[in-house]
Amino acid sequence: MEVPRRPQPSFTQVLPKPAPLGAAEQVAMKDSMKKRLLQKGDGTIKNQAGEEKLESGVTILEEAEVAKAAQRILRDSSQDSFAEESLLSEDRLEEEAGRKAAEEEAAAKERAAQRQQLAIEELVTSERSYLRLLQLSTVTIRGNLQQLQPPPAQLDSMFLYIEEVIDVSSRLLSLLDQKQLQPGDPHFLKTLCDSFLSLSSDIEAAYKEYLAHYNHVTEVENSYKQKEALWNEIVGVIKAAAPDVNATSLSFFLVMPVQRIARYPLLLQTIQKHTDPTHPAYALLEETAHTSIAMNCRINEYKRFREVADKYKKTETLTIKDKIIRFNTHSIAKKTARLSQQIKHEAGLKPKLVDEEFDALEGFFYVLEDGILELLEDVETYLQHLQEKRMRTLIHKPLCALRDLLVGPRNLIRKRLDKLLDYEVIEGKSNLSYEEQAVANTYRTINTLLLKELPQFNGLALQIMWSTLGTFSCLHRDLASDMEQLFHSFAQQLPHSGLPPGAFWEWAESAVLEGAKRLQTLCHTVEERLNAPAVQPLSPSSQRRLKQLTEKHGSGKIFQVMGMVVGSRELDLNLTKGELVAVISEADTRGDKRRWLVDAGGKRGYAPASKLIRYHQPTDDPPPSPHPTLIEGVSTVRRHSHNPETHAPPVMSQPCFQVMGYDFTARSKHEVSVRVGELVRILERHDKRGKPEWTLVETRGGQRGYVPSNYLAFLPMGMGLPGGYNCFF
């Protein structure tokens, strides 16, 4: 059998001719052939004759076999030589290919390393150039513009929050410079990633406020462009300060932070692309790239929130013409849907979407707002009677600024209620149109923004309010100290200034107590007269409303408005002084007892409880006296117990009257109880309305109050009275 051959290559090769065999080689070949022929036989020699015959047979066939064997050996040796050469050629090719692949891989790694180094250098170099231009615009250009006469309006507002951006950029470069490494150093990449991650929160805080404020920058610059002379001066200042950058506007510099924050992910991803995954800092670089992308997403979301808030928190002053222009079918349908939702909520036909967290924040905001406004009102009243410049600067101005800041959140809360009503209409739908989806997104945006920022606003406003109260206390203490010094200077001129300190303060205390007692008596008298049971006259319309409210709610629910009421919240009523209302509930839907639900004769809403007082309806007069004429004799005069500690009443100069017919029992603190036959002194012959049905009298015990006029009768002149109680006309 022949040995299996290796597959031959497609190309042909000319084999060399075998060299002729020598005599020794031919003898050796013959011997080998003999051995092969003997191996093919049975190997047994029976006799000499057979052996000779076999040997002679080999001799006969020798020449032919030798020739064939030689050809076969030459052919096999040629094939083996060619196969060996082919194998050597393939090994050399594979070795060459491997070497070339290794060289290409090494070249690729080198190129990637070079590109990585270039990307790192670009990030660092561009950051330094970016910081230099920001500092140029903030310091040099801004300072030169402020020297213009007059300086451009709202110039400082254009550079708002840019100081924070410069600060985080300089801190990033400072961290890189502290290690004293070059961008080509293998450890520089780790330092870069660590520095960026450590400042990521500060970078986000600085850039998100700047980007949210950038629309204002463009608005102010557009206002400058409308004034040609001013704009030419601004351009001249910019070109003179930065001739090498070819800048022609402020936005050339102020837009750089907007572009820079978006370049961080691109630069970091480029570095990551050309970094070997086996690099020690590869995982940290990947985290840094993801952090920069997430940072940009959050900044964009915050900017969108601020745009929605700025859109809805503005207070628009629209004329009637503007309102008519905005009046269209879409607005009518929208407001009708909102009104329908409110009616369903009030009637209990549909549950209201409740957000307890937001309701708590809203309630605290309104409480805080009321406190700030009341404090500001008190401070303004205080300043009207005291010219104190420090108080106006340190207290009044901050409170006014805080009051102005309340407008934005209040408008946003009101707009949220409108958007909530729109959202409730489409909440149950499975497929929303483009406009409906926009409505839902707007509500969610406003709600999320309020839940996130209203607690911060409430906390800062409360902190400012407490700080203002602390400042007020300090100023008031200083004022008291000044008054004390002034008092000591005047006290030297008083007649009792020569007394010892103990005696002087005893005298001062007694004098003050005596004056306080007189003042208390005067206040009590004034209160009795002002709160007399007389009822102010009502107009015919008020009388009809009183009758209507009394029949519907009862007389115990009728209240009168003490002062002008101007509604500031949803469902608040505008009421005038003296208007009559009926109280339906002494708390609002959130349980706030400072806002009462009232019925104003057809319209219902909320009014502050502090502006309402119970209405005292006129009572029926007691039955007429059975003895309306003057009595000749006095036989039923009763003696009353007399407190010996009470001073005897002075001699009356007014006419004395006697109670006739019935005892009268007081029904309120403005009336006085008298008995039949008791003598009283007339103080006023009418009530506060001027009507003679009620009379203000004083009894022998010194009590004063109103009694029915028809219970009294004149006492005859000169008649002696028991107990020495004399009367004179």
Side-chain angles (χ1 to χ4, degrees):
M1 295 181 59
E2 295 181 357
V3 179
R5 302 178 180 176
R6 295 175 60 89
Q8 302 298 324
S10 58
F11 57 87
T12 59
Q13 184 175 4
V14 179
L15 298 178
K17 292 183 179 181
L21 298 177
E25 294 176 353
Q26 290 179 2
V27 173
M29 188 177 296
K30 289 180 180 180
D31 292 339
S32 64
M33 290 302 298
K34 287 180 181 180
K35 292 179 181 179
R36 292 179 184 177
L37 291 175
L38 289 175
Q39 290 176 358
K40 291 181 180 179
D42 55 3
T44 303
I45 303 176
K46 296 181 179 180
N47 48 34
Q48 186 71 24
E51 184 179 359
E52 292 176 357
K53 184 178 180 181
L54 180 61
E55 291 178 356
S56 64
V58 174
T59 304
I60 296 171
L61 297 175
E62 182 177 359
E63 295 294 336
E65 291 295 336
V66 169
K68 291 180 180 179
Q71 292 178 1
R72 193 163 49 248
I73 291 172
L74 290 175
R75 184 172 64 251
D76 293 339
S77 62
S78 300
Q79 292 178 354
D80 293 339
S81 176
F82 176 75
E84 292 178 358
E85 292 180 358
S86 299
L87 290 175
L88 293 175
S89 177
E90 289 180 0
D91 292 339
R92 286 195 297 270
L93 291 176
E94 291 178 358
E95 182 180 357
E96 184 69 21
R99 185 178 60 79
K100 290 183 178 180
E103 291 178 355
E104 291 179 357
E105 183 178 359
K109 289 183 178 180
E110 185 178 357
R111 288 194 300 271
Q114 292 177 354
R115 292 173 181 174
Q116 179 204 53
Q117 182 178 353
L118 290 175
I120 295 175
E121 290 178 354
E122 180 183 1
L123 190 150
V124 177
T125 305
S126 59
E127 187 72 21
R128 296 186 188 279
S129 176
Y130 162 70
L131 178 61
R132 181 181 63 83
L133 291 177
L134 286 185
Q135 292 174 342
L136 175 66
S137 62
T138 306
V139 178
T140 306
I141 297 178
R142 181 183 181 182
N144 294 340
L145 290 176
Q146 289 176 341
Q147 294 178 1
L148 295 178
Q149 296 299 329
Q154 298 183 348
L155 179 63
D156 292 337
S157 65
M158 294 187 67
F159 294 89
L160 196 62
Y161 303 114
I162 198 171
E163 296 291 345
E164 289 79 0
V165 175
I166 294 176
D167 179 65
V168 294
S169 179
S170 61
R171 287 165 59 191
L172 177 61
L173 292 175
S174 177
L175 290 176
L176 296 178
D177 295 338
Q178 286 178 0
K179 298 295 183 178
Q180 297 181 355
L181 299 176
Q182 297 299 324
D185 194 300
H187 300 288
F188 187 83
L189 182 59
K190 182 178 183 302
T191 303
L192 174 63
C193 296
D194 289 336
S195 303
F196 190 88
L197 290 177
S198 64
L199 295 175
S200 59
S201 59
D202 296 338
I203 293 174
E204 180 178 351
Y207 277 90
K208 73 177 184 180
E209 294 296 340
Y210 185 86
L211 266 67
H213 179 72
Y214 183 72
N215 290 337
H216 176 74
V217 174
T218 58
E219 292 176 0
V220 175
E221 187 176 50
N222 291 334
S223 66
Y224 292 162
K225 292 180 180 179
Q226 294 177 0
K227 302 175 182 179
E228 185 176 357
L230 175 61
W231 181 246
N232 291 334
E233 290 181 353
I234 292 175
V235 173
V237 169
I238 294 173
K239 289 184 176 181
D244 55 333
V245 295
N246 194 24
T248 58
S249 64
L250 286 173
S251 60
F252 176 86
F253 299 97
L254 299 180
V255 78
M256 288 181 178
V258 182
Q259 300 169 342
R260 186 62 183 176
I261 191 62
R263 287 198 64 191
Y264 284 132
L266 299 177
L267 293 171
L268 291 172
Q269 287 177 338
T270 303
I271 297 173
Q272 181 185 2
K273 178 181 177 182
H274 299 297
T275 301
D276 190 355
T278 60
H279 194 283
Y282 185 83
L284 189 61
L285 176 60
E286 187 176 15
E287 180 185 357
T288 307
H290 290 329
T291 301
S292 64
I293 295 173
M295 182 194 306
N296 275 266
C297 293
R298 290 192 295 269
I299 291 175
N300 291 335
E301 189 71 7
Y302 180 80
K303 187 175 184 296
R304 186 174 66 87
F305 282 0
R306 298 308 308 172
E307 289 175 352
V308 173
D310 293 341
K311 176 182 178 182
Y312 290 113
K313 75 179 183 181
K314 294 179 180 178
T315 302
E316 296 182 338
T317 304
L318 301 177
T319 62
I320 298 178
K321 181 179 180 180
D322 296 333
K323 293 181 179 180
I324 293 176
I325 293 175
R326 293 190 176 186
F327 198 70
N328 51 39
T329 55
H330 177 70
S331 62
I332 294 174
K334 184 166 62 175
K335 295 184 182 299
T336 303
R338 292 174 182 173
L339 180 60
S340 175
Q341 286 294 114
Q342 288 182 340
I343 294 175
K344 291 178 182 179
H345 292 161
E346 295 296 331
L349 300 178
K350 187 175 181 180
K352 185 178 180 180
L353 188 61
V354 179
D355 189 341
E356 296 182 356
E357 182 181 2
F358 177 79
D359 292 342
L361 291 174
E362 181 185 12
F364 183 77
F365 171 79
Y366 284 124
V367 170
L368 187 63
E369 181 184 23
D370 293 339
I372 292 172
L373 295 179
E374 290 181 7
L375 178 60
L376 179 59
E377 182 179 356
D378 294 341
V379 170
E380 289 177 347
T381 305
Y382 190 88
L383 290 174
Q384 289 177 0
H385 304 280
L386 180 66
Q387 298 297 329
E388 178 63 38
K389 293 182 179 181
R390 290 191 303 165
M391 185 170 294
R392 188 174 298 276
T393 302
L394 300 177
I395 297 178
H396 185 258
K397 288 184 178 180
L399 285 177
C400 290
L402 187 58
R403 177 196 58 190
D404 297 338
L405 292 176
L406 294 172
V407 177
R410 187 193 313 124
N411 292 341
L412 206 57
I413 291 173
R414 291 179 179 176
K415 183 56 66 174
R416 176 196 175 272
L417 178 60
D418 295 339
K419 297 301 179 181
L420 174 61
L421 296 175
D422 298 340
Y423 178 74
E424 289 178 343
V425 174
I426 64 175
E427 182 184 11
K429 295 184 179 180
S430 58
N431 296 325
L432 300 180
S433 63
Y434 179 79
E435 294 182 356
E436 292 173 341
Q437 187 64 43
V439 170
N441 292 338
T442 302
Y443 165 72
R444 295 191 187 101
T445 300
I446 296 177
N447 189 67
T448 304
L449 181 64
L450 287 173
L451 289 177
K452 182 179 179 181
E453 297 197 355
L454 193 57
Q456 301 176 6
F457 179 86
N458 290 342
L460 292 176
L462 184 61
Q463 183 179 355
I464 294 174
M465 187 176 178
W466 282 117
S467 178
T468 303
L469 289 173
T471 305
F472 178 80
S473 300
C474 294
L475 294 178
H476 199 71
R477 182 181 59 191
D478 296 343
L479 179 62
S481 178
D482 295 340
M483 292 299 101
E484 184 179 3
Q485 295 179 2
L486 185 63
F487 167 75
H488 286 305
S489 63
F490 283 107
Q492 302 298 328
Q493 305 174 11
L494 295 176
H496 301 281
S497 59
L499 294 175
F504 176 80
W505 286 112
E506 183 178 356
W507 166 81
E509 183 178 1
S510 61
V512 170
L513 291 176
E514 183 180 356
K517 187 176 181 180
R518 290 197 302 266
L519 180 61
Q520 184 178 7
T521 303
L522 177 61
C523 293
H524 182 68
T525 304
V526 172
E527 181 180 2
E528 287 182 348
R529 293 192 178 187
L530 292 178
N531 297 328
V535 180
Q536 297 296 330
L538 299 176
S539 63
S541 61
S542 299
Q543 292 178 356
R544 289 193 297 270
R545 178 183 291 187
L546 176 62
K547 181 179 179 181
Q548 176 187 1
L549 295 176
T550 304
E551 292 175 352
K552 188 174 182 180
H553 302 281
S555 59
K557 297 289 186 179
I558 308 301
F559 282 72
Q560 193 170 22
V561 181
M562 298 171 56
M564 179 71 69
V565 175
V566 179
S568 61
R569 298 170 59 179
E570 294 292 337
L571 301 180
D572 283 357
L573 294 178
N574 296 326
L575 302 174
T576 59
K577 182 178 180 180
E579 192 171 350
L580 298 177
V581 296
V583 176
I584 301 174
S585 174
E586 295 185 358
D588 60 7
T589 55
R590 297 189 180 92
D592 188 358
K593 295 185 178 181
R594 295 173 302 173
R595 298 176 71 227
W596 288 3
L597 180 63
V598 299
D599 182 2
K603 54 182 180 179
R604 294 186 177 186
Y606 293 102
S610 59
K611 294 295 182 70
L612 301 178
I613 188 174
R614 189 177 297 277
Y615 178 70
H616 297 281
Q617 303 187 46
T619 57
D620 297 334
D621 290 341
S625 173
H627 306 286
T629 58
L630 185 64
I631 302 301
E632 297 292 335
V634 179
S635 60
T636 59
V637 177
R638 296 185 179 182
R639 298 180 182 272
H640 298 276
S641 60
H642 180 68
N643 188 355
E645 296 181 359
T646 306
H647 298 289
V651 177
M652 295 185 176
S653 60
Q654 291 88 347
C656 287
F657 281 71
Q658 186 178 24
V659 181
M660 305 298 297
Y662 297 96
D663 293 339
F664 177 73
T665 303
R667 295 163 294 184
S668 68
K669 64 178 182 179
H670 308 293
E671 301 172 354
V672 63
S673 299
V674 293
R675 295 183 179 181
V676 174
E678 185 176 352
L679 298 179
V680 296
R681 183 178 63 168
I682 299 296
L683 300 179
E684 289 184 358
R685 299 177 183 272
H686 53 78
D687 59 12
K688 292 300 179 181
R689 295 175 57 189
K691 293 185 178 181
E693 285 82 1
W694 291 87
T695 301
L696 180 64
V697 301
E698 181 180 5
T699 64
R700 292 188 63 183
Q703 297 178 348
R704 295 183 178 186
Y706 287 91
V707 296
S709 299
N710 54 2
Y711 276 41
L712 305 176
F714 280 105
L715 187 69
M717 180 189 298
M719 185 174 223
L721 297 176
Y725 192 80
N726 298 323
C727 288
F728 300 92
F729 287 96

